[in-house]
Amino acid sequence: MFFSKMLIPTLKKAPSNADMVSVKLMVRSGMVRKLAAGLYELLPLGLKVLRKVENIIRQEMNGAGGQEVIFPLIFPKALWLETDRWNVYGKELFRLKDRKDAEFCLAPTAEEVVTDLIRKNIKSYKQLPVMLYQFGTKFRDEMRPRFGVLRSREFLMKDAYSFHIDEADLEKYYKTMFDAYTNICIKCGFQFRAVEAASGAIGGSFSHEFVVLTNTGEEEITWCNCGYGANSEKVECLKIEQSKEEVLPAEEILTPDTGAVEDVAKLLNLSHKKFIKTMIYIANKKPVAVLVRGDHEINEIKLQALLGADETALADEQTVISVTNAPIGFAGPAGLKNIKIIADLSVVELSNALTGANKKDYHLKNVNYKRDYNADIVADIRKVIRGDICPKCKKEELKFSRGIEIGHIFKLGAKYSKSMNASYLDATGKEKFIIMGCYGIGVTRILAAIVEQSHDDDGIIWPDNIAPFEVAIVPLNYVDEKTKETTEKIYEELSSKGLDILIDDRDERAGIKFKDADLIGIPYRITISEKNLANGNVELKARRDAKDAVRILKPEKVVSELLKIFKK
Amino acid sequence: MFFSKMLIPTLKKAPSNADMVSVKLMVRSGMVRKLAAGLYELLPLGLKVLRKVENIIRQEMNGAGGQEVIFPLIFPKALWLETDRWNVYGKELFRLKDRKDAEFCLAPTAEEVVTDLIRKNIKSYKQLPVMLYQFGTKFRDEMRPRFGVLRSREFLMKDAYSFHIDEADLEKYYKTMFDAYTNICIKCGFQFRAVEAASGAIGGSFSHEFVVLTNTGEEEITWCNCGYGANSEKVECLKIEQSKEEVLPAEEILTPDTGAVEDVAKLLNLSHKKFIKTMIYIANKKPVAVLVRGDHEINEIKLQALLGADETALADEQTVISVTNAPIGFAGPAGLKNIKIIADLSVVELSNALTGANKKDYHLKNVNYKRDYNADIVADIRKVIRGDICPKCKKEELKFSRGIEIGHIFKLGAKYSKSMNASYLDATGKEKFIIMGCYGIGVTRILAAIVEQSHDDDGIIWPDNIAPFEVAIVPLNYVDEKTKETTEKIYEELSSKGLDILIDDRDERAGIKFKDADLIGIPYRITISEKNLANGNVELKARRDAKDAVRILKPEKVVSELLKIFKK
């Protein structure tokens, strides 16, 4: 392919609102263009990369026994009412009406649709297991679309759904898919971790995220050398044990003009670790009091899971006053009535803690569990912090990394089959719910994740197997007869063996051609200059090597080396 | 692939609301399922066929120098306002709002988006021509979704857009694309015609439709042995000359209780051909009087083109009364004032015609052009009818065929580049509008068109190069050791050469297996029975051959024949 014939609109500068390296480089290299907030066009170079990633994924899905399908992108409301996701999903769901005012949503994932297909067409245990997958556009009306294709409103996703006779079969297949996802990450050249994760809007009992490690990623994961790994939202926090002190009498103290833990800690010259923060939440439409240590934060995802609530929110001031008889900032568990109290594991370990006194301008000192307050539930409800110990080996401190979530696999169990009544007859003729798993991977996301992980100051560095072209030939003066001849000869020899080559035939200065080649990030560059040709040589340079790691070689040698590298 | 491992939910009966052979057979053979009105799921077998069609198209588009891209499916309103299509497109356009109440539409075609991309990234004549194409989901909120994937609300389309320095270059490229579309039709095995067509909502000056000939198609085309062909909506109607009669004096006659041409013709015992039908239309917000012969119908598409109106509609009764001073049914050109009169070519040929008298219960006899009325425009504004003569050779009668439109190519000229200000600098530095063409082909439509054209009472008959599998092996008793062995051997030998094979390993009766094989329509079936195996033989049958055209052959012979057929 000739550069001059291809739409590769490279840019010297990234758009000023590009907020991540990957979007800067993808725009600058002419792979993508932004149509509107969260809506991206994939240009020819971007599409070539996308197809390669798609094929890596397809190969793994077929290897796992998957069958490819295509579902519509417009889903009727009726199906989404069956699972109640029409109401639960919130503003991220794009909704629309047709000319007859019937309501629809645009696909964010396809659990309802695939479950509907299966319940209508699978009747017997003999037809199970089945795994269906598709490469389909997905839509999410993000509150704040950003980071290019990483958090866009429309993106390409491979979503897969598996159907089983029981949990044991799902468990087995979940491992197969875990391995397939691991292979995809390896084939994309990722530094990554598979970690336990919260299941969010998809639901189900258990899930793993595949996170590509980058300093700039939105996700935070925790992990341990023992092999444990989890999304920070999900990681189990062990209770922090404390050496017990002699129990002192409770004492009300005046703390005017305070409210935040910081203020009180300063006033009393006391460590945050001695505090019990008491927050009034609304869950399932009722107030609950939630206690964590002063230096901890409440993890609402854990709280929701614990309470079986679709959402939780801090109560408004009026509710706080009516529950605690005091303005916000003075709540404490001692003396609270008619409200469920939920304490974090580490809270009940505290001796002589400080809490609000449920009285304006007063705190209570030397508060002790069981003597001064009780909790209805004691559980892990806090966010992980630096210094927490691994919940698996219980020895080492957890490590923290940032990254980009590219895949997420879920054990759904009977969540969807129950609400949609998807059942089968087992060998004894008994009707049972079908057990499900689902498996998503962001295809456009993978492109951005590769760029985040594999670039330098000059541009992208594509892995050999994913690059839009395998080799770039850069003739410095394509009008020169000998240059043209050599270019064509090398091109013929490489492309006849199946290598995909870009020839920069443009009438541009060498500097511009080199800059564009580096920016686009094709793994190997052959430079053909009249100077080297005079000695019968050309230059070969790998994109990932240092700028001066150029080798002057005979064209035949360049061809044979490249064929060897690409195993052709 | 084993039948038992694949989701192929064949049905004995088609759903009662299936309204065309193709949808009946596609549903029965387990290729597609309906999710809701106009929304179809493509199951594994359907997707396999789709991918083959996609690849045929992709090959032709790349051969025509096209570059594949992917555009978003949600388009911002602002772009559509630039071309005014936001207002013109009407109810077929799905519209939606995001969480911030910004307005969008779902892609029906992508002219605005691609023109926006090009105007931002193409500056010089050196960068032209460019052709971009995509395989993308398209959305149309059909008034009455029907005929399965033929008139669905969501479908897969290949849309392509070309950009040129001038009309001459577009003209040349239009021919290239015409040839590419012809090749696609040939490779899909179609009986088809490429005919001149009206441009509709896409606009532009000139277009061709590619119509697959089937008795059941929605489209009607006209054609002639001389090579002419056109959509019936578009075909040029020659004037029908009449031998002139002696001109008689005009005469008002009482015609009570009439109104429709039929009633008057009956009352006066007069041929329809002697009538001038006068219809009052509203075009560009003004009434116009439109005249056609009594046996002709007005072609609103021609009328709109003639008047440069986006739409035309019959005037309401109030308007008719105020224009003609008479109720509907008594309009005539003689004496009409303050209104533009448009007469069809064949109207002004009439001698002593009959028209309404613009007076309740009266008609006017012996009306003659120029003497009794004038027309502001005399032009071809009628629909073609049986008996009309070919406008090209002007000799033979036009022939009529029905068919399915699968592709449509357009010369757009500067329609979009003018309204969106997409220009380039020519070699002399002068700014000029980019000249455009666009080219669409319905990918899911092609599947249905193949089925319409290629089926029998038992099911689909796929062409060899498009079939979901090339060969079906049907072992009658897969539990039998020798049957299994022979099946596996044939499978190995064929699939190792690249043939895609479906083995019907189900524990079902032979009758069911044969019925399903015929229904699915795989081109070649190898039947393996214990009876034939006893003599070392198997059966080979081509799907397209008669039921009894079964050949009993040695397995080696079957393998070698099939490899020869598929050129492996």
Side-chain angles (χ1 to χ4, degrees):
Chain A
M1 173 62 82
F2 287 112
F3 200 124
S4 70
K5 299 280 176 207
M6 204 167 168
L7 184 69
I8 312 178
T10 57
L11 298 175
K12 280 192 193 134
K13 286 175 86 174
S16 56
N17 57 358
D19 49 8
M20 219 165 163
V21 171
S22 52
V23 61
K24 281 180 193 166
L25 290 178
M26 287 169 84
V27 172
R28 282 191 56 210
S29 63
M31 290 182 61
V32 299
R33 280 294 183 269
K34 184 171 164 176
L35 172 63
L39 300 174
Y40 280 82
E41 299 156 350
L42 220 51
L43 304 195
L45 217 50
L47 188 77
K48 280 178 80 85
V49 176
L50 186 91
R51 290 277 183 253
K52 295 202 177 181
V53 172
E54 226 183 81
N55 281 335
I56 287 172
I57 298 171
R58 181 172 287 118
Q59 207 177 14
E60 291 295 329
M61 291 302 102
N62 291 343
Q67 301 179 57
E68 194 172 349
V69 297
I70 298 181
F71 294 126
L73 302 178
I74 302 182
F75 294 159
K77 177 180 178 182
L79 273 185
W80 277 64
L81 284 176
E82 288 191 47
T83 59
D84 200 36
R85 284 216 297 171
W86 184 265
N87 300 312
V88 170
Y89 215 99
K91 289 198 167 178
E92 267 191 26
L93 195 64
F94 273 109
R95 294 161 207 251
L96 75 161
K97 290 180 179 178
D98 72 4
R99 66 200 297 157
K100 289 170 184 160
D101 263 350
E103 289 183 89
F104 296 85
C105 63
L106 295 183
T109 57
E111 284 79 5
E112 284 82 0
V113 169
V114 71
T115 306
D116 176 63
L117 175 69
I118 291 295
R119 72 179 167 183
K120 286 176 178 159
N121 292 289
I122 296 275
K123 299 294 165 201
S124 155
Y125 72 99
K126 287 183 198 166
Q127 297 168 280
L128 295 171
V130 169
M131 189 275 257
L132 301 177
Y133 73 94
Q134 66 167 344
F135 288 91
T137 304
K138 299 287 174 288
F139 302 88
R140 295 199 189 150
D141 193 0
E142 294 282 349
M143 167 106 78
R144 205 182 134 216
R146 57 192 188 279
F147 309 146
V149 297
L150 281 175
R151 195 155 286 279
S152 54
R153 298 200 279 182
E154 201 186 311
F155 52 94
L156 188 69
M157 182 171 155
K158 185 284 301 167
D159 45 333
Y161 308 88
S162 70
F163 300 85
H164 308 270
I165 51 164
D166 57 22
E167 293 280 352
D169 197 58
L170 167 61
E171 179 66 34
K172 214 172 76 189
Y173 193 70
Y174 188 85
K175 285 196 184 110
T176 302
M177 287 298 274
F178 187 97
D179 292 345
Y181 271 54
T182 302
N183 289 342
I184 292 166
C185 288
I186 291 169
K187 287 181 181 176
C188 290
F190 284 138
Q191 298 291 322
F192 72 101
R193 284 185 187 273
V195 298
E196 293 174 17
S199 296
I202 308 283
S205 55
F206 193 73
S207 77
H208 277 99
E209 272 175 16
F210 287 77
V211 176
V212 173
L213 303 178
T214 66
N215 294 330
T216 49
E218 277 192 284
E219 291 275 313
E220 189 183 58
I221 59 165
T222 56
W223 52 279
C224 176
N225 289 323
C226 78
Y228 179 78
N231 185 304
S232 293
E233 290 175 342
K234 160 83 181 178
V235 59
E236 186 189 338
C237 298
L238 299 177
K239 72 176 167 195
I240 301 176
E241 294 186 20
Q242 310 255 346
S243 51
K244 301 293 178 212
E245 297 172 10
E246 189 190 342
V247 170
L248 301 174
E251 184 185 333
E252 216 174 68
I253 48 174
L254 184 65
T255 53
D257 301 327
T258 62
V261 170
E262 276 68 36
D263 307 331
V264 192
K266 209 169 163 187
L267 182 79
L268 304 179
N269 192 22
L270 208 62
S271 159
H272 290 192
K273 295 183 183 174
K274 272 294 205 185
F275 278 63
I276 300 175
K277 265 198 292 204
T278 304
M279 315 291 278
I280 310 300
Y281 269 87
I282 302 294
N284 295 327
K285 296 179 183 162
K286 276 190 198 159
V288 289
V290 185
L291 318 182
V292 290
R293 226 172 63 173
D295 58 331
H296 289 155
E297 298 287 337
I298 293 166
N299 181 325
E300 290 195 29
I301 292 168
K302 290 181 182 177
L303 187 62
Q304 286 161 17
L306 184 71
L307 299 175
D310 286 329
E311 51 177 356
T312 47
L314 282 171
D316 59 20
E317 185 156 19
Q318 207 44 55
T319 308
V320 173
I321 291 170
S322 85
V323 166
T324 67
N325 293 315
I328 288 176
F330 300 95
L336 272 193
K337 278 180 196 133
N338 303 323
I339 188 168
K340 192 182 257 190
I341 297 180
I342 298 158
D344 183 64
L345 296 170
S346 299
V347 162
V348 299
E349 290 291 308
L350 291 172
S351 306
N352 301 326
L354 187 95
T355 76
N358 298 322
K359 187 170 163 187
K360 184 170 189 302
D361 292 345
Y362 281 90
H363 276 76
L364 204 60
K365 222 171 139 179
N366 302 329
V367 172
N368 288 281
Y369 186 52
K370 294 290 181 193
R371 186 190 73 179
D372 303 311
Y373 73 100
N374 264 305
D376 297 281
I377 308 176
V378 178
D380 168 22
I381 51 164
R382 70 173 173 94
K383 289 184 182 167
V384 68
I385 58 169
R386 265 54 176 180
D388 272 332
I389 300 299
C390 169
K392 191 175 172 205
C393 69
K394 297 191 169 60
K395 282 178 198 153
E396 290 194 38
E397 273 188 16
L398 283 168
K399 293 177 180 59
F400 291 76
S401 297
R402 296 204 74 81
I404 297 167
E405 178 200 339
I406 55 120
H408 204 156
I409 63 177
F410 301 80
K411 285 186 207 166
L412 296 173
K415 177 181 156 73
Y416 289 87
S417 48
K418 262 187 192 160
S419 56
M420 296 184 67
N421 199 23
S423 63
Y424 71 97
L425 296 180
D426 75 5
T428 67
K430 211 179 136 194
E431 196 173 351
K432 286 186 175 164
F433 284 123
I434 296 174
I435 300 300
M436 284 176 65
C438 81
Y439 319 87
I441 196 160
V443 189
T444 21
R445 273 205 147 203
I446 285 183
L447 267 60
I450 293 174
V451 176
E452 284 292 330
Q453 232 181 32
S454 187
H455 68 268
D456 61 16
D457 290 346
D458 296 318
I460 304 170
I461 306 171
W462 290 109
D464 289 4
N465 61 328
I466 289 174
F469 292 95
E470 280 133 348
V471 177
I473 306 181
V474 181
L476 297 191
N477 177 16
Y478 199 56
V479 184
D480 173 59
E481 201 47 51
K482 199 159 172 210
T483 299
K484 198 171 173 207
E485 211 172 83
T486 311
T487 301
E488 282 172 3
K489 191 155 184 289
I490 295 175
Y491 175 83
E492 276 308 320
E493 286 173 1
L494 292 176
S495 61
S496 67
K497 301 283 180 172
L499 290 192
D500 204 6
I501 319 278
L502 183 68
I503 300 175
D504 192 345
D505 61 329
R506 295 176 301 167
D507 177 21
E508 294 284 3
R509 284 184 294 111
I512 287 181
K513 291 187 177 189
F514 289 148
K515 268 199 188 317
D516 276 350
D518 282 350
L519 180 59
I520 294 169
I522 296 169
Y524 297 92
R525 186 181 83 203
I526 304 168
T527 307
I528 301 179
S529 65
E530 290 169 84
K531 187 181 131 205
N532 280 320
L533 269 190
N535 303 316
N537 291 322
V538 298
E539 277 182 21
L540 178 64
K541 184 186 171 297
R543 173 66 181 85
R544 75 177 73 86
D545 289 345
K547 271 205 166 19
D548 54 1
V550 167
R551 292 193 300 151
I552 313 287
L553 300 167
K554 298 280 170 226
E556 310 83 73
K557 177 74 179 152
V558 166
V559 168
S560 65
E561 279 216 13
L562 287 171
L563 293 179
K564 205 170 138 197
I565 287 167
F566 287 103
K567 299 193 178 71
K568 299 285 182 182
Chain B
M1 174 61 81
F2 288 112
F3 200 124
S4 71
K5 300 280 175 206
M6 204 166 166
L7 185 68
I8 312 178
T10 57
L11 298 175
K12 279 191 194 136
K13 287 176 86 174
S16 57
N17 57 358
D19 49 8
M20 218 167 164
V21 171
S22 51
V23 61
K24 281 181 193 166
L25 290 178
M26 287 170 83
V27 171
R28 282 191 58 211
S29 63
M31 290 181 61
V32 300
R33 280 295 183 269
K34 184 171 165 177
L35 172 63
L39 300 174
Y40 280 82
E41 300 156 351
L42 220 51
L43 304 196
L45 216 50
L47 188 77
K48 279 178 81 85
V49 176
L50 185 91
R51 289 278 183 252
K52 294 201 178 181
V53 172
E54 225 183 83
N55 281 335
I56 287 173
I57 299 171
R58 181 173 287 118
Q59 207 177 13
E60 290 296 329
M61 292 302 102
N62 291 344
Q67 302 179 56
E68 195 173 348
V69 297
I70 298 182
F71 293 126
L73 302 178
I74 302 182
F75 294 161
K77 177 181 177 179
L79 273 185
W80 277 64
L81 284 177
E82 288 190 46
T83 58
D84 201 36
R85 285 215 300 170
W86 184 266
N87 300 314
V88 170
Y89 215 98
K91 288 198 167 179
E92 266 190 28
L93 195 63
F94 273 110
R95 295 161 207 250
L96 74 161
K97 291 180 179 178
D98 71 4
R99 66 199 296 156
K100 289 171 184 159
D101 263 350
E103 289 182 89
F104 297 85
C105 63
L106 295 183
T109 58
E111 284 79 5
E112 285 80 359
V113 170
V114 71
T115 306
D116 176 63
L117 176 70
I118 290 296
R119 73 178 166 183
K120 286 176 179 159
N121 292 288
I122 296 275
K123 300 293 165 202
S124 155
Y125 72 98
K126 288 185 197 165
Q127 298 168 281
L128 294 172
V130 169
M131 190 274 259
L132 301 178
Y133 74 94
Q134 66 167 346
F135 288 90
T137 303
K138 298 288 174 288
F139 303 87
R140 296 200 188 149
D141 194 0
E142 294 283 349
M143 167 106 78
R144 205 181 134 216
R146 58 191 187 277
F147 308 146
V149 297
L150 280 176
R151 195 154 286 280
S152 53
R153 299 201 278 183
E154 200 185 311
F155 51 93
L156 189 69
M157 182 172 156
K158 185 284 302 167
D159 45 332
Y161 307 88
S162 71
F163 300 85
H164 307 270
I165 52 163
D166 57 22
E167 293 280 352
D169 197 58
L170 167 61
E171 179 66 35
K172 213 173 75 188
Y173 193 71
Y174 188 84
K175 285 197 183 109
T176 302
M177 287 298 273
F178 187 97
D179 292 345
Y181 271 54
T182 302
N183 289 342
I184 292 166
C185 288
I186 292 170
K187 288 182 180 175
C188 290
F190 284 138
Q191 299 290 322
F192 72 101
R193 285 186 186 272
V195 298
E196 293 174 18
S199 297
I202 307 284
S205 55
F206 193 72
S207 77
H208 276 100
E209 273 174 13
F210 287 77
V211 177
V212 173
L213 303 178
T214 66
N215 294 329
T216 49
E218 277 192 284
E219 292 275 313
E220 188 182 59
I221 59 164
T222 56
W223 53 278
C224 176
N225 289 322
C226 78
Y228 179 78
N231 186 306
S232 294
E233 291 175 341
K234 160 85 181 178
V235 60
E236 185 188 338
C237 297
L238 299 178
K239 72 174 166 194
I240 300 176
E241 296 187 18
Q242 311 254 348
S243 52
K244 301 293 178 212
E245 298 171 10
E246 188 189 344
V247 170
L248 302 174
E251 181 186 333
E252 216 173 66
I253 46 173
L254 184 65
T255 53
D257 300 326
T258 60
V261 170
E262 277 67 35
D263 306 332
V264 191
K266 211 169 160 187
L267 184 77
L268 304 179
N269 192 22
L270 209 62
S271 159
H272 290 194
K273 294 184 183 174
K274 272 294 204 187
F275 277 65
I276 299 174
K277 266 197 294 203
T278 305
M279 314 292 277
I280 310 300
Y281 270 85
I282 302 294
N284 296 327
K285 295 177 186 163
K286 275 190 197 159
V288 290
V290 185
L291 318 183
V292 290
R293 223 171 65 172
D295 59 331
H296 289 157
E297 299 287 337
I298 293 166
N299 181 325
E300 291 195 28
I301 291 168
K302 289 181 182 176
L303 187 62
Q304 286 160 18
L306 184 71
L307 299 175
D310 286 329
E311 52 178 356
T312 47
L314 282 171
D316 58 21
E317 186 156 17
Q318 206 45 56
T319 308
V320 173
I321 292 171
S322 82
V323 166
T324 67
N325 292 316
I328 288 175
F330 300 96
L336 271 193
K337 277 177 196 136
N338 302 322
I339 187 169
K340 191 180 257 189
I341 296 179
I342 299 157
D344 182 65
L345 296 171
S346 301
V347 163
V348 298
E349 292 291 310
L350 291 172
S351 307
N352 301 326
L354 187 94
T355 73
N358 298 322
K359 186 168 163 189
K360 186 170 187 302
D361 292 344
Y362 281 90
H363 276 77
L364 206 58
K365 225 171 136 178
N366 303 330
V367 173
N368 289 282
Y369 186 52
K370 294 288 181 193
R371 185 190 72 179
D372 303 311
Y373 73 99
N374 265 304
D376 298 279
I377 308 177
V378 178
D380 169 22
I381 52 164
R382 70 172 172 95
K383 290 184 182 167
V384 70
I385 59 169
R386 266 48 178 185
D388 272 332
I389 300 299
C390 168
K392 193 175 170 205
C393 70
K394 297 189 170 61
K395 284 178 198 155
E396 290 194 38
E397 272 189 17
L398 284 167
K399 293 176 180 59
F400 291 75
S401 299
R402 297 203 73 81
I404 297 167
E405 178 201 340
I406 55 119
H408 204 156
I409 63 177
F410 302 80
K411 286 186 207 163
L412 296 174
K415 176 180 156 76
Y416 289 86
S417 48
K418 262 187 191 159
S419 56
M420 296 184 67
N421 199 23
S423 63
Y424 70 97
L425 296 180
D426 74 4
T428 67
K430 209 178 139 196
E431 196 173 350
K432 287 188 174 163
F433 284 121
I434 297 175
I435 300 300
M436 281 176 66
C438 81
Y439 318 89
I441 196 161
V443 189
T444 21
R445 271 204 149 205
I446 286 184
L447 266 60
I450 294 174
V451 176
E452 284 293 330
Q453 231 181 32
S454 186
H455 69 268
D456 62 16
D457 290 345
D458 297 318
I460 304 170
I461 305 171
W462 290 109
D464 289 5
N465 61 329
I466 289 174
F469 292 94
E470 280 134 346
V471 178
I473 306 181
V474 181
L476 298 191
N477 177 16
Y478 199 56
V479 183
D480 173 61
E481 200 48 49
K482 202 165 168 203
T483 299
K484 200 171 170 203
E485 213 171 81
T486 311
T487 301
E488 282 171 4
K489 191 157 182 289
I490 296 175
Y491 175 83
E492 276 309 319
E493 287 173 1
L494 292 176
S495 61
S496 67
K497 301 283 180 170
L499 290 192
D500 205 6
I501 320 278
L502 182 69
I503 300 175
D504 192 345
D505 60 330
R506 294 175 301 166
D507 177 19
E508 294 283 5
R509 284 183 293 112
I512 287 181
K513 291 187 178 190
F514 289 147
K515 269 199 188 316
D516 276 350
D518 282 349
L519 180 59
I520 294 170
I522 296 169
Y524 298 92
R525 186 182 82 203
I526 305 168
T527 307
I528 302 179
S529 65
E530 289 168 85
K531 187 181 130 202
N532 280 321
L533 268 189
N535 303 316
N537 291 322
V538 299
E539 278 182 22
L540 177 63
K541 184 186 173 298
R543 174 66 182 86
R544 74 178 73 85
D545 289 344
K547 269 204 168 19
D548 54 1
V550 168
R551 294 193 298 150
I552 313 287
L553 301 167
K554 298 278 169 228
E556 310 82 72
K557 177 74 178 153
V558 166
V559 168
S560 65
E561 281 217 12
L562 287 171
L563 292 179
K564 204 171 138 196
I565 289 167
F566 287 103
K567 301 192 176 73
K568 299 286 180 180

